[in-house]
Amino acid sequence: MHLRDLTGPEQLKRLTPAELAELAAEIRRVILETVAANGGHLAPNLGVVELTLALHIVFDSPRDKILWDVSHQSYVHKLLTGRLHQFHTLRQYGGIAGFTDPRESVHDHFHWGHASTSISAAVGMAKARDLAGDDYEVVAVIGDGALTGGMAYEGLDHAGQDKTKLIVVLNDNSMSIAPNVGGISNYLARIRTGPSYQRVKHDVAEALRQIPFVGSQALDLVDRLKEGVKHLLVHNMFFEDLGFTYLGPVDGHNLAALQDVLRQARSYPGPTVVHVVTTKGKGVPYAEELPDKFHGGGPFDVATGRTGPGAVTYSEVFGRTICKLAAEDQRVCAITAAMPDGTGLSRFARQFPDRYFDVGIAEQHGVTFAAGLAKGGMRPVFAVYSTFLQRAYDQVIHDVALQNLPVTLAIDRGGLVEDGATHQGVFDVAYLRAIPNMVVMAPKDENELQHMLYTALCHEGPATLRYPRGKAQGVPLDETLQQLPIGRGEVLQEGTDVVLVGLGTMARVCQEAARLLAEKSISAMVINPRYVKPLDADLLLAAGRQVGAVVTVEEACLAGGFGSAVLELFAAHGVDARVTRMGIPDEFVDHGKPAHFLERYGLTPEGVAQRAEQLLLQVRADLSAQPARPKRTVRRVGAKAAGSERP
Ligand SMILES: Cc1ncc(C[n+]2csc(CCOP(=O)(O)OP(=O)(O)O)c2C)c(N)n1
């Protein structure tokens, strides 16, 4: 049987072991070739080929619900559920998503990409099933990396006590993106290498059966003895103590063993954990050897796994700068939530192992841990992707900002990314600027990034800097770091017809737009605001008053964003300028090249220039209609009334 002949997962149940082995090899080939061409998650998917086949053989998807935690490892599932023919469009705009997405298939139940959520969702679905009197199975597949996230334990805690029937499949490959960390990871390693739990349980029961006892008290004693010996032999039965039946560990590449254990789990009435041991990157030597490099990323050469030479990225400049600062200041610490490479902290980890902390996929803990470090006199920098910081919003407010602690949040992947709605870093500007005490910065290029990091570390309170994914601008880097006065922007270019205010990398886009406008004899002033909070009120108010037409540009959501801050400032000070805000509208942004979406939202030099021209047309229309414009007066009165609202 070839993959192309598979019309649905139900056919798998009729295949022989030899046919299934052939299919597994073909799946690995298709995934390797597609990911090499399009980028994506290679090693996680190669590791779950047999597990996914076994799940679809034992369970009846979509009636039974299989929930993939993070869902970056759902490619095999996609191939088995009718998406082979579109699979070559993986991660491209309009193509197959890199994560599960209910819009794509009835076999996908959630559109998600953040870790550690599957158990909670599974408990909810299982409960809904019970309330509706239904009897389908609910299976959460979660990696050992995702199991470092606190929410996984909240789900386990609830399910263990509630006794609702559900199956948690723990896909244990001892890797998060990088080698997994933490006590639970060590605990799983002990189970993996220790005597099989099932064997011990069976052997103990057999041994005790040989001892002649009479009466119920004696049977009771046998049970207690069994528990005691089991605990002695199998270190600390964490899952069973929580109320789960634990099955495993089982070889995650042995299809027959996997089917057996999953059938066993299916037959149990309560919550079950099935511990499956897999090899990340299985079947492709370079991916097995470097599972972290091949966890996820851009295209590569199929034969060798080699990638092309990479340009300098913002993350790398951040990584080098924090090393420089840590060498000069013993208080500087760095924290990552399981992303040492992605955030550029690998060099720091090697150079300053004592001051480097990988806390696992635990953003909430990471933020409050940073608060603790700061309280103890350190200068922690938590490097985290914008989208994952969303997890720790309360910790940022409650544990850092309210305490006014000198914690720096280095927010990577601020802006659009290829991975889609789950990963877009577009909410940070809006959610951070609402927080008292918080300084919010966005560098226009990598040189400014290094000065901003230095500024944040010199600041006696919480500070954030957000910068985009990928290639930096290629500007020279100053040798000496300087503090950028807090709340002060810079004028990149003077002009008299329109003001273009570009946040972060949009400053460059505005400079280009100004050049295009100059070709049409329109004189544009360009401002790099540097700070979202505090805003450079003097500069922006003066520009708004003098020029009267302002375009704000940000690679972030419009609702509550930087442009909104400018509008609030103008309203509070009665500045009667025409303002056009450009940014991400009120919608989730799908997967595809960021350039595609930047174009769509007009966040390009041409787009900004066009909007500026439209704005000028409106201003001219306003001016010609001025005598009959009572609205302007009303607005000014309104603004005065709001004068107490301090920006
Ligand atoms: C909240 C959150 N933080 C960080 C990430 C980035 N991330 C994606 S997959 C992954 C590792 C997951 O490891 P594991 O669950 O063991 O799956 P594996 O890839 O090893 O199969 C990380 C850290 C994420 N998706 N969500």
Side-chain angles (χ1 to χ4, degrees):
M1 145 87 68
H2 285 290
L3 205 45
R4 62 171 180 271
D5 303 321
L6 191 78
T7 51
E10 62 289 342
Q11 272 174 293
L12 297 171
K13 298 178 200 287
R14 297 190 288 276
L15 298 187
T16 63
E19 286 173 317
L20 286 165
E22 261 177 53
L23 201 61
E26 190 185 348
I27 290 169
R28 285 199 165 89
R29 246 187 343 266
V30 171
I31 289 178
L32 176 62
E33 281 164 12
T34 312
V35 176
N38 296 14
H41 289 98
L42 179 69
N45 282 288
L46 293 174
V48 296
V49 175
E50 287 77 16
L51 174 60
T52 313
L53 282 166
L55 283 164
H56 278 293
I57 293 169
V58 172
F59 298 98
D60 302 314
S61 179
R63 185 175 186 276
D64 294 333
K65 319 295 177 201
I66 304 172
L67 309 184
W68 300 91
D69 203 277
V70 187
S71 80
H72 63 304
Q73 78 294 52
S74 61
Y75 298 177
V76 189
H77 163 81
K78 291 192 183 219
L79 289 172
L80 297 178
T81 52
R83 284 169 270 184
L84 169 71
H85 300 296
Q86 302 90 48
F87 198 66
H88 65 282
T89 63
L90 181 72
R91 298 174 80 241
Q92 292 172 351
Y93 175 64
I96 290 285
F99 300 90
T100 53
D101 186 342
R103 293 173 301 178
E104 232 173 55
S105 168
V106 290
H107 295 273
D108 293 7
H109 306 287
F110 284 91
H111 183 180
W112 57 22
H114 287 198
S116 322
T117 61
S118 63
I119 301 176
S120 297
V123 184
M125 288 184 84
K127 206 76 221 167
R129 170 200 62 203
D130 296 349
L131 290 169
D134 225 324
D135 65 352
Y136 53 82
E137 303 290 339
V138 182
V139 185
V141 186
I142 183 166
D144 57 303
L147 200 67
T148 55
M151 202 179 155
Y153 298 92
E154 296 172 31
L156 285 173
D157 197 40
H158 186 184
Q161 169 234 286
D162 200 66
K163 295 289 177 201
T164 300
K165 182 173 184 197
L166 68 98
I167 297 164
V168 175
V169 174
L170 170 57
N171 171 29
D172 178 8
N173 54 26
S174 75
M175 296 290 293
S176 193
I177 293 179
N180 205 5
V181 294
I184 293 289
S185 172
N186 293 339
Y187 165 70
L188 294 176
R190 283 200 300 273
I191 304 186
R192 275 198 307 272
T193 50
S196 152
Y197 172 65
Q198 297 315 314
R199 208 177 60 228
V200 169
K201 217 157 81 163
H202 177 263
D203 291 353
V204 171
E206 277 304 299
L208 292 172
R209 209 167 292 153
Q210 311 299 322
I211 307 170
F213 279 108
V214 200
S216 65
Q217 266 186 335
L219 284 176
D220 238 27
L221 181 65
V222 170
D223 269 354
R224 271 186 279 130
L225 262 174
K226 226 162 74 178
E227 278 305 300
V229 178
K230 190 179 80 187
H231 272 78
L232 272 180
L233 293 178
V234 183
H235 210 85
N236 181 7
M237 287 320 304
F238 176 71
F239 296 107
E240 296 242 332
D241 290 345
L242 275 177
F244 279 76
T245 298
Y246 170 90
L247 299 173
V250 61
D251 175 357
H253 302 294
N254 181 335
L255 201 45
L258 281 168
Q259 291 178 63
D260 278 353
V261 76
L262 290 172
R263 284 205 179 91
Q264 219 179 320
R266 191 179 179 143
S267 70
Y268 287 165
T272 311
V273 168
V274 179
H275 184 178
V276 175
V277 178
T278 60
T279 301
K280 203 160 174 171
K282 180 79 177 174
V284 174
Y286 52 76
E288 280 192 40
E289 200 179 319
L290 297 172
D292 39 0
K293 178 177 170 198
F294 290 98
H295 171 86
F300 55 87
D301 180 64
V302 181
T304 60
R306 281 201 204 105
T307 44
V312 173
T313 62
Y314 283 95
S315 316
E316 276 165 29
V317 174
F318 160 76
R320 268 187 253 149
T321 311
I322 191 172
C323 285
K324 195 166 160 178
L325 290 163
E328 287 159 11
D329 184 345
Q330 299 293 313
R331 299 172 306 161
V332 174
C333 299
I335 303 164
T336 176
M339 322 280 294
D341 288 332
T343 55
L345 281 181
S346 303
R347 180 195 295 248
F348 189 103
R350 287 191 300 274
Q351 252 178 281
F352 307 99
D354 294 348
R355 288 186 272 153
Y356 165 78
F357 305 97
D358 179 349
V359 296
I361 307 179
E363 289 80 7
Q364 302 174 49
H365 163 69
V367 169
T368 305
F369 169 64
L373 282 173
K375 198 71 172 176
M378 295 292 139
R379 288 297 173 133
V381 178
F382 182 20
V384 58
Y385 289 9
S386 169
T387 187
F388 302 138
L389 184 62
Q390 287 164 201
R391 276 287 162 89
Y393 192 47
D394 182 59
Q395 285 74 7
V396 173
I397 295 174
H398 179 263
D399 302 332
V400 172
L402 176 59
Q403 320 304 325
N404 205 15
L405 286 167
V407 168
T408 297
L409 299 173
I411 305 178
D412 202 320
R413 272 64 166 174
L416 296 170
V417 294
E418 213 165 332
D419 284 313
T422 54
H423 281 60
Q424 304 295 2
V426 295
F427 302 110
D428 49 6
V429 173
Y431 73 63
L432 289 169
R433 86 175 187 85
I435 305 174
N437 288 344
M438 189 57 83
V439 169
V440 184
M441 304 180 248
K444 70 173 186 291
D445 56 34
E446 63 271 35
N447 190 37
E448 204 163 82
L449 183 154
Q450 45 162 6
H451 296 313
M452 282 185 177
L453 182 58
Y454 178 57
T455 306
L457 280 164
C458 295
H459 179 58
E460 290 302 327
T464 64
L465 51 148
R466 62 100 75 169
Y467 43 91
R469 179 190 179 125
K471 194 165 165 277
Q473 309 270 355
V475 299
L477 296 175
D478 296 337
E479 265 305 306
T480 313
L481 299 182
Q482 20 161 322
Q483 287 189 57
L484 302 174
I486 291 194
R488 287 274 164 260
E490 63 171 345
V491 176
L492 295 173
Q493 175 179 321
E494 293 289 355
T496 50
D497 295 325
V498 62
V499 187
L500 309 178
V501 194
L503 182 68
T505 47
M506 287 295 124
R508 286 290 155 119
V509 171
C510 287
Q511 280 183 300
E512 288 293 314
R515 264 188 276 284
L516 297 176
L517 290 168
E519 286 168 14
K520 296 184 171 180
S521 305
I522 296 170
S523 162
M525 177 188 215
V526 181
I527 292 178
N528 166 25
R530 284 187 176 147
Y531 290 83
V532 174
K533 187 176 185 160
L535 278 181
D536 190 339
D538 294 345
L539 175 61
L540 291 166
L541 289 170
R545 283 195 181 107
Q546 281 159 26
V547 183
V550 179
V551 183
T552 65
V553 192
E554 59 199 301
E555 198 178 320
C557 67
L558 283 168
F562 172 73
S564 300
V566 172
L567 278 180
E568 288 164 21
L569 177 77
F570 286 2
H573 291 265
V575 174
D576 197 12
R578 270 266 189 186
V579 180
T580 283
R581 294 175 307 132
M582 300 185 71
I584 313 295
D586 188 20
E587 63 190 25
F588 286 111
V589 182
D590 260 321
H591 56 278
K593 294 258 181 285
H596 167 87
F597 292 101
L598 290 173
E599 187 86 37
R600 175 195 285 188
Y601 300 129
L603 301 172
T604 57
E606 296 73 19
V608 172
Q610 202 182 3
R611 284 287 279 275
E613 274 189 85
Q614 285 167 1
L615 182 71
L616 284 176
L617 285 177
Q618 285 168 358
V619 170
R620 278 176 201 142
D622 280 356
L623 283 174
S624 57
Q626 207 155 37
R629 285 180 60 232
K631 260 180 113 183
R632 280 200 143 201
T633 327
V634 172
R635 238 170 91 192
R636 221 174 264 140
V637 171
K640 271 200 189 114
S644 60
E645 179 193 333
R646 288 229 186 92

